[in-house]
Amino acid sequence: MAPPVKAPDASIDRSPAYQEFISSLVDYHANRGTHFDPEPRVGSKHVDLLRLFNMVVARGGYDKVSAEKLAWRKLGQEFNLGHGNLPALAFSLKSTYYKNLAAYEISKIHGKEPPPKEILENISARGGDLLNRTLENYRPHGGRDQGYPAQGDDQDAEDRKTPNEEKPDVDESGAGGRSTRGLRHAPAQRVLFQPEVTPTRQARQASANAATPNSTPQATTAVPSAGHSAAQVPQAGLNYEPRTAMNFPLRPVSTPGNSPSIFEERARRGQESAAQYRSMTATDGIILPGTGFEGPNIYVRILMGLRSGIPEEQDYALYHLVKISHERGDKYKFDAFPGLLEGLMEKAYEIDKLFYSEDWSYFLKDVGPDPNPERRSKLQSLVRRLCEPDPAKAIEIRGNFENAELSHHMAKINEACLVLRNMMLLDENATYVSTYSPMRDFMAIVLNLPETGMVVEMKHYALEIAEQLTKFWIMDPDEPLYQALLSELLSEDRGMIVTGLRALSRISMNLDESNHLRGVSPAMAENVCNWLLLEDEELTHACLDFLYQYTAHLDNVETLVRHVAYQGMISQLARLLQHGAREIKVTRKPHEPQPEPEPPVPGSKDADKSPGIAIPEKLFEEIIGYNEPERSSHWLRACFEEDPASDMSQVKIWQAYQARFGQSVPTEQLLGAAAFIKNVTSTFTGATAQVLNPADTNSRFIIRGIKWRDEPMDPQMRIWRKCLWRSGDDKDAPQECNVFHLESEDMWIHLMGDHLGAHRLENGLFDTKLSGEGPFKCCWDDCKRHHEDGGVKKISPVANHTKHHMWKCYKMGTPEAVAARAAAVAAQNQPPPPPLLKYYDSPVDERGEAGGLPLTAVLVIRNLVFNLPRIRRGPHAPIDPYSDMTWVGKVFTPIMKQLWYSVAHNRTLGVFLSPLVFQIINAEPYGRFQID
């Protein structure tokens, strides 16, 4: 039995480009002499190598992706590899690229010679910098790589030491094991067992020879004794050949007889150790070193090392805290490790030793939700001195140059701040730290440090911490931290501006108190208005959030319109209403379509009103030549066609079948009722056998999906055309011919001979002169040709006219011709296209509601519309002394056209903008607005 064929993976797009790429890889690895897997498996899925190669190259190549933090894990998410054990899946994807595509990328993309396979494909994917890897400068990381000695012991010893000073590389895999874990050693080599067949008892002479120091053992052959036959000796023993004897030196053995001093020293040491052990075990509760306790885990050791005050231990703790806070920030909480927050703050407060001669450690004392007023006054005094134009005059600033010791100390302080920043991203930690008052003092001090390059990183961390904590605090305008945050609005550092705006916007967000944002100077407000005009979406978000809080209060709005050039901000708000809008085309129908007539009820009298058709004898003779069930299938196709809206009675179909074939075919050769109904549903795929009212006594059995044909069809799918000639004098109910012919020639002979009475000659032609006397007229269907005056006397005009009916019946009557004519008529009578409407809707969130920049711009406009009419009029109220407009009209007149456009075309924001526009109109007389 042949093995089952493996189904192709649906996740791989086997396009011509993919096949060409795989072929080039096969040739490349064949020339390189390395193994190639065209469809490697990562997890439970096969990886598309072409897609992986294009994605890695688009990101800069293998070296750049490996240097980026968590880049391979993000690539794995794009391949939808799953959510279980993400680090393992990421490393497996990296290894797949490393083994199959890394060398190909270096050759084809970078145009360089790749490293030999001994230091590329034959080893693991650890490490990077493949472009510069050579045999001289590369050494693998462990003993598992082929061709290099193991380094597990040295590496483990090195990992137990405090790490180097450079920034730690975050482990991409995110594994949670300790960094001191070493590699397993290779198992010992197996030694095959060889039985010893020499006699176990040695002769007295052999013993004597063995006792001689310089004697050499001789090889002996085992001979069966006289008491045993040769058959009793094992076959393995007979075939065994002893090993070649080897010379080995004999060393003297120390015994109490020849070396008594050695044994006396051993006994003395044993007695001393036993006495020392008895003295130690006599004390209860003492654990001996190395027994009974395995030592603290990594978290406890970090905490103890941080609070120990030993520089080496603090460096070790900070190194691992940076990694843990980045990789496991969701599980590392302050409330689970008492003293961790205090230890980090003590390390961060060492900044005073680098820049100032004062000791600020007293700010860490008297900690609680309600700080000591004396400590608060000291802090405010310190911050005021720091904010002086020349802080060196108010407070002694050390003028040390940056050396190795200073850089090391500053790096550790930055690491402590980085740990605080990472852990503050967790809401539980932010809630816990919000009640720790020294944190507010620390951020105020850091943000007022001297403007040097050494503290830029620390200030960024302080602002990010403030962004997470200000939502839990109420700040007074004279508070040092609030003043420090406001000073960032005058900064030129974009990162500090964005973070400062966010921190100010989130003040008291989680509290009932509102954020008034008092103390914002006109220069600060004008800076925010100017930043709003920049093409920077992140900065625009921060500015809009700040303006939403700022314009919510009347005093701030009055300062804005009186002392700030706000016109650019108002125009930008109108433009932001259409930010990210998507064009949507909607077709409006001019009128509702008329409902279609309902189909007849299944099983009703209208459903079976067609009497059926009479199959021509020639077609019947062809059908009767088949055996069942082909005979009944051909008869069904000849008489019926599929129609989803129609149905037929099972009894009537069965009776028609019996009536047509009962006299021509023996009864035993016909299908039974059940088999015939089953054959109906097999012949027509859209037909189903149904029972109407099954619980009623008047239930009906029907076939849904078929109806009678108007013209029969033969087994070759050819239509037999019906003669539409009507005869008889009864104008109300003329008699139809109901004769069917397959070919137009047969239909012409039938018309001329049977209906017109033309005389046919021996050569098959008709002689119109010998035909009977008229009158003659055309009676084909509803044709009225030659009906005037009762007809014509000669047959030739009518005969020539009937040729037109033959052409229409056999040429124009095909389904394709009928469909083409119907399409042409429909195209001519097609109404004009309905109007096409275009909308420009703003993006929505996952709940289908408005969000993002457009919604925040609407909220700022709403605050202005609400507060502008409440501004007091005074001598300086009007911006333009020649204008008598109100503040609402003065501010919103330039953007009324944009507001109306957004109301009409933006369905997402229309519900928010419509009431605002009408409120603007009510506040200012409509005639004053110059919209056009």
Side-chain angles (χ1 to χ4, degrees):
M1 180 177 179
V5 179
K6 183 178 178 182
D9 196 347
S11 61
I12 299 178
D13 183 13
R14 292 176 173 82
S15 60
Y18 172 82
Q19 300 294 344
E20 182 180 356
F21 180 74
I22 294 299
S23 300
S24 64
L25 282 177
V26 171
D27 298 340
Y28 181 82
H29 282 276
N31 297 331
R32 186 171 171 82
T34 54
H35 173 71
F36 172 64
D37 187 0
E39 294 186 4
R41 193 179 185 90
V42 176
S44 61
K45 294 187 176 182
H46 292 277
V47 176
D48 189 341
L49 291 181
L50 176 59
R51 182 185 174 197
L52 177 62
F53 181 76
N54 292 334
M55 294 174 66
V56 173
V57 171
R59 287 168 170 80
Y62 176 86
D63 288 346
K64 190 170 182 181
V65 173
S66 300
E68 183 180 350
K69 190 181 300 180
L70 302 179
W72 289 105
R73 187 180 299 185
K74 296 176 183 177
L75 283 176
Q77 294 175 355
E78 295 187 14
F79 278 89
N80 196 17
L81 300 178
H83 302 283
N85 199 359
L86 294 179
L89 292 175
F91 186 77
S92 179
L93 183 64
K94 178 182 178 182
S95 300
T96 298
Y97 190 94
Y98 180 84
K99 298 288 186 182
N100 300 286
L101 300 172
Y104 185 81
E105 175 200 329
I106 296 174
S107 300
K108 303 299 181 181
I109 303 301
H110 303 286
K112 296 182 178 181
E113 183 69 23
K117 62 181 180 180
E118 289 77 14
I119 59 173
L120 189 60
E121 288 89 353
N122 293 354
I123 61 176
S124 65
R126 293 183 60 188
D129 197 15
L130 299 184
L131 294 175
N132 300 321
R133 179 181 295 184
T134 60
L135 290 172
E136 291 76 15
N137 64 9
Y138 177 74
R139 187 165 184 82
H141 297 278
R144 293 188 182 183
D145 296 331
Q146 301 177 0
Y148 294 93
Q151 300 175 356
D153 297 338
D154 296 339
Q155 187 67 23
D156 290 344
E158 186 66 23
D159 287 343
R160 297 189 188 98
K161 301 178 181 180
T162 303
N164 296 329
E165 301 301 325
E166 59 269 9
K167 290 290 184 180
D169 294 332
V170 179
D171 188 6
E172 184 177 353
S173 64
R178 296 181 59 178
S179 62
T180 57
R181 182 177 301 169
L183 300 176
R184 293 189 304 170
H185 295 285
Q189 295 293 331
R190 293 186 178 183
V191 180
L192 296 179
F193 171 73
Q194 297 182 357
E196 184 68 36
V197 298
T198 57
T200 56
R201 300 182 60 184
Q202 298 179 356
R204 185 174 300 175
Q205 181 180 0
S207 304
N209 294 336
T212 305
N214 298 327
S215 63
T216 302
Q218 300 293 329
T220 61
T221 303
V223 180
S225 63
H228 298 82
S229 63
Q232 296 176 343
V233 179
Q235 187 67 24
L238 295 177
N239 298 331
Y240 174 73
E241 294 182 2
R243 298 178 181 178
T244 305
M246 299 178 62
N247 296 327
F248 59 92
L250 298 178
R251 298 184 179 88
V253 179
S254 298
T255 62
N258 57 19
S259 301
S261 60
I262 296 178
F263 285 88
E264 292 177 358
E265 181 67 18
R266 290 180 182 176
R268 184 183 62 79
R269 292 179 181 177
Q271 293 176 0
E272 293 179 356
S273 300
Q276 184 179 4
Y277 176 77
R278 286 192 298 270
S279 63
M280 294 177 61
T281 55
T283 306
D284 296 336
I286 297 179
I287 301 177
L288 297 178
T291 61
F293 182 63
E294 298 180 357
N297 57 24
I298 185 65
Y299 302 105
V300 177
R301 180 183 175 185
I302 288 173
L303 179 59
M304 297 173 65
L306 185 65
R307 302 302 300 271
S308 65
I310 303 175
E312 291 78 6
E313 289 295 329
Q314 288 184 340
D315 294 350
Y316 175 87
L318 290 173
Y319 172 83
H320 288 282
L321 276 175
V322 171
K323 294 187 64 176
I324 294 174
S325 63
H326 176 75
E327 299 172 359
R328 300 186 177 183
D330 56 337
K331 298 181 180 179
Y332 204 49
K333 303 178 181 179
F334 285 122
D335 54 358
F337 298 92
L340 177 60
L341 176 60
E342 290 77 5
L344 291 172
M345 291 300 298
E346 289 176 0
K347 188 66 178 179
Y349 261 105
E350 292 180 3
I351 191 67
D352 61 340
K353 301 177 182 178
L354 302 182
F355 291 94
Y356 305 106
S357 59
E358 297 187 7
D359 184 11
W360 297 344
S361 60
Y362 57 84
F363 290 127
L364 294 174
K365 302 177 182 178
D366 192 18
V367 178
D370 187 14
N372 192 331
E374 181 180 357
R375 186 176 62 86
R376 175 63 56 188
S377 62
K378 291 182 179 180
L379 173 66
Q380 293 180 356
S381 174
L382 172 64
V383 174
R384 280 195 297 270
R385 285 182 289 164
L386 290 175
C387 294
E388 292 289 336
D390 188 2
K393 298 179 179 178
I395 185 171
E396 183 180 354
I397 301 178
R398 294 180 177 178
N400 296 341
F401 292 100
E402 185 174 355
N403 49 30
E405 181 181 359
L406 180 62
S407 299
H408 171 78
H409 198 175
M410 192 65 199
K412 296 307 170 183
I413 295 175
N414 285 334
E415 288 183 3
C417 296
L418 176 59
V419 173
L420 289 171
R421 176 261 182 194
N422 291 343
M423 298 187 65
M424 221 64 66
L425 298 178
L426 190 64
D427 291 339
E428 290 85 346
N429 288 334
T431 305
Y432 180 86
V433 178
S434 63
T435 60
Y436 187 70
S437 57
M439 180 60 72
R440 301 175 73 163
D441 307 339
F442 168 72
M443 289 186 293
I445 293 174
V446 170
L447 294 178
N448 287 280
L449 287 175
E451 296 293 338
T452 62
M454 295 177 58
V455 298
V456 172
E457 182 180 358
M458 191 175 186
K459 286 187 177 182
H460 279 281
Y461 293 152
L463 285 173
E464 293 180 3
I465 295 173
E467 179 183 351
Q468 302 297 326
L469 295 180
T470 53
K471 56 186 177 182
F472 301 101
W473 294 337
I474 301 174
M475 292 188 177
D476 298 329
D478 57 346
E479 185 172 344
L481 177 57
Y482 182 76
Q483 293 295 329
L485 293 176
L486 285 181
S487 64
E488 300 303 329
L489 300 183
L490 302 175
S491 173
E492 296 180 356
D493 189 331
R494 176 193 172 278
M496 301 183 71
I497 291 171
V498 172
T499 314
L501 287 171
R502 291 174 179 171
L504 289 170
S505 303
R506 297 186 180 187
I507 294 176
S508 67
M509 180 185 295
N510 291 6
L511 306 176
D512 296 334
E513 296 289 334
S514 60
N515 183 13
H516 292 274
L517 287 179
R518 296 190 179 93
V520 179
S521 64
M524 299 177 182
E526 188 162 2
N527 283 344
V528 175
C529 294
N530 294 335
W531 294 331
L532 190 65
L533 304 177
L534 300 177
E535 294 294 335
D536 189 336
E537 188 168 349
E538 185 180 10
L539 182 59
T540 303
H541 267 291
C543 292
L544 284 177
D545 291 339
F546 177 84
L547 289 175
Y548 171 66
Q549 299 288 340
Y550 182 75
T551 57
H553 300 280
L554 178 61
D555 297 339
N556 296 335
V557 174
E558 186 171 1
T559 303
L560 183 66
V561 297
R562 291 183 185 275
H563 305 288
V564 178
Y566 61 86
Q567 292 81 2
M569 178 198 71
I570 298 298
S571 300
Q572 183 68 2
L573 290 176
R575 287 191 292 268
L576 290 175
L577 295 177
Q578 297 300 119
H579 177 78
R582 297 177 295 108
E583 180 181 354
I584 299 177
K585 298 180 180 180
V586 178
T587 302
R588 177 177 295 178
K589 298 182 179 180
H591 57 82
E592 294 293 333
Q594 296 295 332
E596 298 181 358
E598 297 182 358
V601 179
S604 63
K605 296 181 179 180
D606 295 336
D608 282 339
K609 65 181 181 179
S610 177
I613 57 176
I615 299 180
E617 290 300 327
K618 186 176 180 180
L619 178 58
F620 178 74
E621 292 175 359
E622 183 181 357
I623 293 176
I624 206 173
Y626 292 93
N627 297 325
E628 294 293 350
E630 288 81 5
R631 181 193 303 126
S632 59
S633 297
H634 288 307
W635 178 78
L636 288 170
R637 293 191 186 97
C639 299
F640 300 92
E641 62 181 349
E642 293 190 9
D643 184 9
S646 302
D647 60 86
M648 296 290 297
S649 173
Q650 298 182 16
V651 177
K652 289 186 178 182
I653 300 177
W654 166 249
Q655 290 175 353
Y657 170 71
Q658 289 287 337
R660 196 68 183 88
F661 296 98
Q663 298 178 357
S664 304
V665 181
T667 306
E668 60 273 8
Q669 296 183 7
L670 297 177
L671 293 177
F676 176 75
I677 297 301
K678 184 177 181 181
N679 192 32
V680 174
T681 57
S682 300
T683 304
F684 300 102
T685 56
T688 56
Q690 300 180 1
V691 181
L692 299 181
N693 303 323
D696 193 358
T697 56
N698 297 326
S699 59
R700 293 176 57 83
F701 297 85
I702 64 171
I703 299 292
R704 170 64 64 82
I706 62 174
K707 69 176 181 178
W708 287 100
R709 282 183 173 275
D710 295 331
E711 296 174 326
M713 182 177 67
D714 64 0
Q716 290 76 29
M717 310 299 289
R718 296 177 299 179
I719 302 298
W720 288 63
R721 299 302 177 185
K722 180 181 179 181
C723 178
L724 302 180
W725 196 274
R726 296 179 180 181
S727 60
D729 297 334
D730 190 357
K731 297 181 179 180
D732 296 332
Q735 296 180 0
E736 295 184 355
C737 180
N738 287 332
V739 176
F740 299 92
H741 292 280
L742 181 61
E743 302 293 341
S744 59
E745 182 179 357
D746 297 336
M747 182 67 74
W748 169 257
I749 294 173
H750 167 70
L751 282 177
M752 295 297 294
D754 297 341
H755 293 297
L756 294 178
H759 177 71
R760 189 175 185 183
L761 302 177
E762 294 179 359
N763 58 3
L765 300 177
F766 288 94
D767 187 2
T768 58
K769 295 181 180 180
L770 298 179
S771 300
E773 297 293 335
F776 299 99
K777 57 183 178 181
C778 181
C779 297
W780 185 274
D781 200 8
D782 295 331
C783 183
K784 302 300 181 182
R785 189 70 176 268
H786 304 299
H787 281 231
E788 299 85 0
D789 299 333
V792 295
K793 294 181 180 182
K794 294 183 179 182
I795 193 175
S796 55
V798 180
N800 293 332
H801 170 69
T802 55
K803 293 180 181 180
H804 171 71
H805 293 299
M806 294 302 99
W807 179 79
K808 291 181 61 177
C809 179
Y810 285 90
K811 300 299 181 181
M812 298 296 294
T814 59
E816 295 79 5
V818 173
R821 290 198 306 273
V825 173
Q828 294 177 0
N829 300 330
Q830 185 177 7
L836 183 64
L837 303 180
K838 292 184 180 180
Y839 293 98
Y840 299 91
D841 294 342
S842 298
V844 296
D845 55 13
E846 61 276 3
R847 297 176 298 179
E849 300 178 357
L853 292 177
L855 179 61
T856 313
V858 171
L859 296 179
V860 175
I861 294 175
R862 185 189 66 179
N863 290 343
L864 294 175
V865 172
F866 178 75
N867 287 315
L868 283 175
R870 302 165 55 194
I871 296 179
R872 301 183 305 273
R873 280 194 172 273
H876 302 288
I879 298 178
D880 184 1
Y882 300 99
S883 175
D884 57 349
M885 276 186 163
T886 63
W887 280 112
V888 175
K890 189 66 178 177
V891 172
F892 290 105
T893 296
I895 64 170
M896 282 304 297
K897 187 175 181 179
Q898 291 90 327
L899 294 180
W900 280 114
Y901 182 87
S902 299
V903 170
H905 294 82
N906 196 328
R907 296 176 296 180
T908 306
L909 299 180
V911 64
F912 301 99
L913 284 175
S914 298
L916 296 180
V917 171
F918 287 106
Q919 189 172 354
I920 293 172
I921 295 174
N922 294 332
E924 183 71 22
Y926 182 79
R928 296 187 180 184
F929 285 116
Q930 301 295 329
I931 299 178
D932 294 331

